[in-house]
């Protein structure tokens, strides 16, 4: 048996180690190549975004404003004669008809003055009657040359003075009647009377007219508001296009709603338009009048006002949530034919039945991004998901 040389064994073991190292290196290269294939970047699919064409329907255009109500008639009731207040003939805050007696101011004194003036008038009438009879006699005597012309002149003067005295007496009687009438303070029109400001037995009308109360008419009622210069120009342009006159504009309906009401349940018509704009505010004062038989509106209310002035039969509308805004104004995100998102500047109008009217910048066949605006940017390709814009139920007037 031959024994192996130790040097040969060592040489063979080293060769095997070199082969092992080569195999390990080759396996590592293959493994790394496999990792590189798995880490290759794959672009994500385009995001799915809801898009819809704008709603197209007839829309009535309105001028909207905030106004306040005011009484058509409001009068301070005052004492026009001096005297002690004798009675208060109404309940504070009650509704009264025109001519209803509200206050009585010591009438006895003024009744006596009226009777005194009437008596003086009767005396003046008797004096005039006697002076006229004497004048006729003197005229007859002068014609027969029985008396001198001087006597007739005296008789004529006496008659003229008697006529003047009668006229003065009649005026005094009329003044006494007026003052006697002032002792009864009556309602000048139908309305509600405020709480009385004086008490029975109080001396009123001493140095100046004393306010006793206030009466306010509530039906109809005024609504005052202002219109911006831009709206004025729009209305005038539309009126010129339709051939409307100022009288026609005053017949435009006006719709009013309280702050706590839904819609505009109160209706009337325009009553007054100021002939000039306020240069400091750039607005035009306008007034409407509304029936108020149920007294739903009280003077001083702040109200929402709108006035219809035009109708667009093919208006385009989108949800308010589809609108964005930046320093350039309002915009919509629109998807083009290549499914690329574009930013479209638009001019917006009023809200109609829950949707926003787009005045310009949008076409009927445009696909508008109506949801997920934060997930898309202009220039991005998307996967559009066609949908429809929900139209809310018609709102109350």
């Amino acid at each position: 048996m031959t024994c192996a040389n130790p040097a040969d064994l060592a040489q063979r073991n080293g060769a095997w180690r070199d082969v092992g190292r080569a195999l390990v290196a080759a396996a590592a290269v293959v493994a790394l190549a496999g990792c590189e294939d798995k880490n290759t970047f794959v672009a994500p699919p385009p995001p799915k975004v809801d898009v819809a064409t704008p709603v197209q329907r007839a829309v009535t255009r309105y001028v909207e404003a905030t106004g306040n109500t005011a009484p058509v008639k409001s009068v301070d009731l005052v004492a026009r004669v001096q005297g002690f207040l004798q009675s208060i003939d109404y309940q504070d805050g009650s509704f009264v008809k025109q001519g209803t007696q509200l206050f009585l101011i010591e009438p006895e004194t003024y009744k006596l003055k009226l009777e005194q003036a009437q008596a003086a008038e009767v005396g003046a009438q008797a004096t005039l009657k006697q002076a006229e009879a004497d004048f006729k006699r003197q005229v007859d005597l002068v014609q027969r040359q029985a008396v001198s012309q001087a006597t007739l002149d005296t008789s004529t003067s006496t008659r003229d003075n008697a006529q003047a005295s009668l006229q003065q007496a009649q005026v005094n009687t009329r003044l006494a009647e007026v003052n006697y009438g002032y002792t009864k303070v009556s309602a000048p029109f139908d309305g509600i009377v405020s709480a009385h400001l004086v008490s029975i037995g109080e001396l009123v009308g001493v140095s100046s007219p004393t306010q006793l109360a206030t009466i306010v008419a509530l039906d109809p009622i005024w609504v005052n508001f202002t219109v911006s210069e831009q709206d004025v120009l729009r209305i005038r342009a539309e009126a010129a296009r339709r051939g409307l006159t100022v009288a026609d504009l005053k017949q435009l309906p006006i719709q009013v709603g309280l702050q706590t009401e839904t819609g505009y349940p109160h209706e009337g018509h325009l009553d007054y338009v100021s002939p000039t704009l306020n240069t400091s505010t750039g607005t035009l004062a306008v007034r409407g009048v509304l029936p108020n038989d149920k007294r739903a509106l009280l003077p001083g209310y702040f109200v929402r006002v709108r006035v219809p002035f035009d109708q667009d039969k093919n208006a385009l509308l989108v949800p308010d949530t589809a609108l964005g805004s930046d320093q350039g104004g309002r915009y919509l995100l629109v998807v083009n034919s290549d499914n690329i998102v574009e930013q479209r500047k638009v001019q917006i109008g009023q809200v109609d039945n829950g949707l926003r009217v787009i005045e310009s910048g949008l076409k009927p066949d445009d696909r508008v991004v109506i949801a997920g605006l934060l997930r898309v940017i202009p220039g991005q390709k998307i996967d559009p998901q066609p949908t429809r814009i929900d139209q809310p139920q018609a709102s109350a007037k």
Side-chain angles (χ1 to χ4, degrees):
M1 181 175 180
T2 304
C3 294
N5 187 348
D8 293 338
L9 290 175
Q11 184 177 2
R12 286 196 296 268
N13 289 338
W16 281 111
R17 283 195 297 270
D18 292 340
V19 172
R21 290 191 186 99
L23 292 174
V24 169
V29 170
V30 173
L32 290 174
C35 291
E36 288 179 359
D37 291 340
K38 292 181 181 178
N39 288 337
T40 301
F41 174 76
V42 177
K48 294 183 178 181
V49 178
D50 291 338
V51 298
T53 56
V55 173
Q56 190 170 13
R57 66 163 184 253
V59 169
T60 301
R61 300 187 186 278
Y62 298 93
V63 171
E64 297 183 345
T66 300
N68 63 282
T69 55
V72 173
K73 299 176 184 177
S74 179
V75 172
D76 292 335
L77 303 171
V78 298
R80 302 178 66 177
V81 293
Q82 179 179 334
F84 292 97
L85 187 63
Q86 186 167 310
S87 67
I88 300 175
D89 304 315
Y90 75 100
Q91 293 294 324
D92 290 350
S94 61
F95 176 81
V96 297
K97 300 291 289 183
Q98 181 178 358
T100 302
Q101 181 176 309
L102 305 176
F103 298 92
L104 184 62
I105 304 172
E106 195 178 5
E108 186 63 27
T109 300
Y110 295 93
K111 183 179 180 182
L112 293 174
K113 290 182 178 180
L114 173 59
E115 293 175 349
Q116 183 182 38
Q118 289 172 337
E121 182 180 352
V122 171
Q125 288 175 344
T127 301
L128 176 59
K129 184 177 179 181
Q130 180 181 3
E132 286 180 340
D134 181 68
F135 171 75
K136 292 179 181 180
R137 285 195 299 270
Q138 296 302 325
V139 170
D140 183 60
L141 292 174
V142 167
Q143 290 177 351
R144 290 185 293 171
Q145 298 183 351
V147 296
S148 64
Q149 183 64 38
T151 303
L152 178 59
D153 293 341
T154 301
S155 179
T156 302
S157 176
T158 302
R159 184 203 60 178
D160 293 342
N161 287 333
Q163 288 178 339
S165 297
L166 176 59
Q167 291 177 352
Q168 182 64 49
Q170 290 172 338
V171 170
N172 291 339
T173 300
R174 181 58 185 151
L175 287 174
E177 288 177 349
V178 170
N179 288 331
Y180 179 58
Y182 286 159
T183 63
K184 298 177 181 180
V185 180
S186 302
F189 48 80
D190 296 354
I192 295 178
V193 188
S194 70
H196 59 276
L197 303 177
V198 293
S199 301
I200 294 176
E202 186 174 344
L203 182 62
V204 297
V206 179
S207 57
S208 62
T210 303
Q211 183 175 352
L212 308 176
T214 300
I215 183 171
V216 179
L218 298 182
D219 183 25
I221 194 167
W222 279 334
V223 175
N224 296 308
F225 59 100
T226 58
V227 178
S228 68
E229 183 175 353
Q230 183 178 4
D231 286 334
V232 171
L233 294 174
R234 290 168 52 200
I235 294 174
R236 288 175 64 88
E238 178 62 20
R241 185 182 69 83
R242 296 165 57 185
L244 300 178
T245 64
V246 175
D248 295 329
L249 291 177
K250 287 186 177 181
Q251 297 305 313
L252 287 177
I254 176 176
Q255 300 172 355
V256 172
L258 297 173
Q259 302 300 320
T260 56
E261 292 177 330
T262 301
Y264 300 81
H266 311 283
E267 295 188 357
H269 63 86
L270 289 182
D271 175 64
Y272 168 76
V273 178
S274 174
T276 59
L277 270 75
N278 186 323
T279 56
S280 61
T281 61
T283 57
L284 185 73
V286 184
R287 186 180 70 201
V289 60
L290 288 78
N292 192 33
D293 54 335
K294 296 182 180 179
R295 302 177 193 169
L297 302 175
L298 295 178
Y301 275 168
F302 282 95
V303 294
R304 294 173 292 108
V305 182
R306 70 179 186 182
V307 180
F309 71 94
D310 185 22
Q311 188 173 46
D312 187 348
K313 296 182 179 179
N314 296 303
L316 301 179
L317 303 95
V318 298
D320 250 343
T321 54
L323 285 161
S325 62
D326 56 19
Q327 293 181 347
R330 306 303 296 272
Y331 64 84
L332 290 171
L333 296 181
V334 179
V335 181
N336 64 17
S337 58
D338 296 326
N339 293 337
I340 303 297
V341 177
E342 297 178 350
Q343 181 173 301
R344 187 80 58 79
K345 295 294 183 182
V346 294
Q347 295 293 329
I348 65 173
Q350 67 194 40
V351 174
D352 184 86
N353 194 20
L355 298 178
R356 176 70 66 176
V357 176
I358 304 301
E359 300 288 357
S360 63
L362 190 65
K363 295 180 292 186
D365 57 349
D366 281 336
R367 294 182 295 171
V368 180
V369 177
I370 62 172
L373 270 69
L374 298 179
R375 293 188 285 112
V376 295
I377 58 176
Q380 180 184 12
K381 188 169 185 177
I382 65 167
D383 181 9
Q385 304 296 306
T387 185
R388 293 173 62 90
I389 296 176
D390 295 329
Q391 299 191 52
Q393 296 295 324
S395 59
K397 278 188 176 183

